[in-house]
């Protein structure tokens, strides 16, 4: 049975009971529009923790003017159904005035230099908004573990770094990206893709796979072959980069890496990534 909490008081009351019984608590943070990727996060949480909280909060702070906040899918009834099916204990679904009772916060978490590159360059202020709400939701839910998907690689890195830098007492658990059988990474924004766009969106995963194969020839080969496939498929490339998984700095040498891409398919902006090993090639 999934209980629904709309207020901090209701959340605190459920959380208090679990604290008394010594249960371990997990949180899965979402903006609603739940899909099989979220279900996988919940299942991983259920495997390790006694209680699972899902937060469903469409955070205005992480959307810039002109982004898709107004048309972002809102599917609360289906979200609650998914939570029930997956055995979620509590769905915390507050409104903006519950999360930000005195309006937009004046003091926010600053994402630092990694918040300004890649996604951050295209979406200025986005990661400050993400980290601020994640910090607040961690304080409100006080979980032992928080589960995040590798699909949002830069977000995951920044949240992990915030937890380290600010000594937040929570373990961050990374969960691999869930894909449709044809390779498309699951995302709430896939709902925007009409049939022709969806076909074109497959180019992201195909390009990443080509990049992984090309990585035996070095970092430049990996990036160039990924970019070439995206360009041929007609999607509008925003970026293709290799980053160091430890520092999230751009990587040019060899070793473990994350190949990250962002592209516009029709009017929808999609991101994807893959973890790989880059060999020392002729040019890097
Ligand atoms: O990944 C998301 O859905 C959001 O960025 C998050 C982490 C729930 C914060 O609003």
């Amino acid at each position: 049975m999934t209980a629904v909490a709309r207020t901090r008081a209701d959340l605190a009351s459920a959380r208090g009971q679990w604290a008394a019984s010594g249960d371990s608590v997990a949180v899965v943070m979402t903006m609603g529009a739940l899909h099989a990727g979220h279900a996988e996060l919940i299942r991983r949480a259920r495997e390790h923790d006694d209680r699972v909280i899902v937060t469903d909060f469409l955070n205005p702070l992480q959307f810039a003017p002109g982004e898709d906040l107004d048309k972002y899918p809102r599917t609360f009834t289906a979200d609650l159904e998914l939570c029930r099916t997956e055995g979620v204990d509590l769905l915390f679904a507050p409104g903006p005035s519950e999360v930000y009772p005195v309006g937009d916060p004046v003091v926010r978490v600053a994402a630092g230099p990694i918040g300004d590159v890649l996604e951050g360059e295209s979406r200025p202020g986005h990661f400050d908004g993400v980290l601020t709400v994640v910090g607040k939701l961690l304080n409100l839910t006080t979980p032992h573990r928080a589960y995040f998907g590798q699909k949002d690689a830069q977000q995951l890195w920044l949240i992990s770094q915030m937890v380290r830098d600010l000594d937040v007492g929570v373990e961050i658990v990374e969960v691999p990206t869930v894909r449709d059988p044809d390779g498309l990474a699951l995302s709430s924004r896939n709902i925007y893709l009409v049939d022709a766009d969806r076909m074109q969106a497959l180019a992201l995963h195909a390009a990443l796979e080509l990049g992984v194969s090309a990585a035996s020839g070095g970092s430049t080969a990996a990036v160039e072959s990924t970019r070439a496939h995206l360009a041929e498929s007609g999607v509008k490339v925003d970026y293709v980069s290799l980053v160091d998984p430890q520092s999230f700095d751009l990587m040019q040498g060899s070793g473990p890496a994350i190949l990250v891409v962002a592209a516009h398919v029709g009017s929808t902006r999609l991101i994807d990534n893959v973890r790989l090993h880059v060999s020392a090639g002729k040019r890097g």
Side-chain angles (χ1 to χ4, degrees):
M1 181 63 193
T2 304
V4 177
R6 294 279 185 187
T7 65
R8 302 161 171 246
D10 289 346
L11 170 66
S13 145
R15 189 62 194 84
Q17 286 166 22
W18 301 335
S21 56
D23 288 347
S24 74
V25 175
V27 69
V28 173
M29 293 184 193
T30 80
M31 296 200 297
L34 303 189
H35 51 65
H38 296 114
E40 178 63 14
L41 296 174
I42 295 166
R43 275 180 219 141
R44 287 288 303 276
R46 281 234 66 87
E47 278 166 27
H48 290 94
D49 290 295
D50 302 317
R51 301 287 181 176
V52 179
I53 304 173
V54 169
T55 67
D56 175 343
F57 177 60
L58 188 51
N59 175 35
L61 223 57
Q62 67 191 73
F63 288 79
E67 288 190 343
D68 58 348
L69 174 63
D70 291 338
K71 69 166 186 157
Y72 199 85
R74 288 163 170 86
T75 58
F76 183 75
T77 307
D79 294 348
L80 178 56
E81 196 49 45
L82 184 144
C83 287
R84 287 194 171 128
T85 306
E86 296 300 333
V88 169
D89 295 279
L90 187 71
L91 178 58
F92 179 49
S97 61
E98 192 65 27
V99 176
Y100 302 117
V102 289
D104 284 357
V106 176
V107 176
R108 303 179 186 205
V109 179
I114 299 299
D116 293 334
V117 296
L118 302 169
E119 282 303 285
E121 194 171 344
S122 300
R123 307 183 66 189
H126 169 67
F127 286 119
D128 292 2
V130 169
L131 294 184
T132 301
V133 82
V134 168
K136 283 173 74 76
L137 292 171
L138 287 174
N139 287 335
L140 290 169
T141 57
T142 59
H144 297 88
R145 270 168 287 280
Y147 293 74
F148 292 94
Q150 289 180 341
K151 155 83 171 28
D152 296 305
Q154 193 172 0
Q155 166 175 285
L156 174 57
W157 186 90
L158 283 164
I159 291 170
S160 302
Q161 191 65 32
M162 174 179 76
V163 163
R164 278 193 293 273
D165 284 349
L166 303 185
D167 295 316
V168 184
V170 66
E171 181 189 337
I172 301 298
V173 182
E174 300 191 8
V175 179
T177 302
V178 178
R179 298 179 183 279
D180 275 338
D182 57 12
L184 183 67
L186 296 191
S187 159
S188 301
R189 288 188 168 94
N190 290 355
I191 211 165
Y192 303 146
L193 300 170
V194 296
D195 285 354
D197 289 345
R198 200 186 172 290
M199 284 298 292
Q200 214 179 28
L202 298 179
L204 271 75
H205 183 238
L208 287 172
E209 297 225 297
L210 285 170
V212 172
S213 306
S216 57
S219 59
T220 306
V223 169
E224 280 179 359
S225 94
T226 307
R227 193 188 297 281
H229 184 78
L230 287 171
E232 277 162 27
S233 69
V235 304
K236 187 165 163 273
V237 181
D238 190 347
Y239 59 75
V240 177
S241 289
L242 271 174
V243 297
D244 179 327
Q246 297 302 319
S247 63
F248 226 82
D249 287 329
L250 294 189
M251 195 190 117
Q252 281 170 341
S254 56
I258 311 177
L259 181 56
V260 291
V261 298
H264 292 264
V265 179
S267 58
T268 308
R269 187 170 178 282
L270 296 176
I271 60 172
D272 200 352
N273 69 83
V274 68
R275 280 152 207 261
L276 71 166
H277 185 91
V278 178
S279 303
K282 284 189 197 133
R283 287 187 289 155

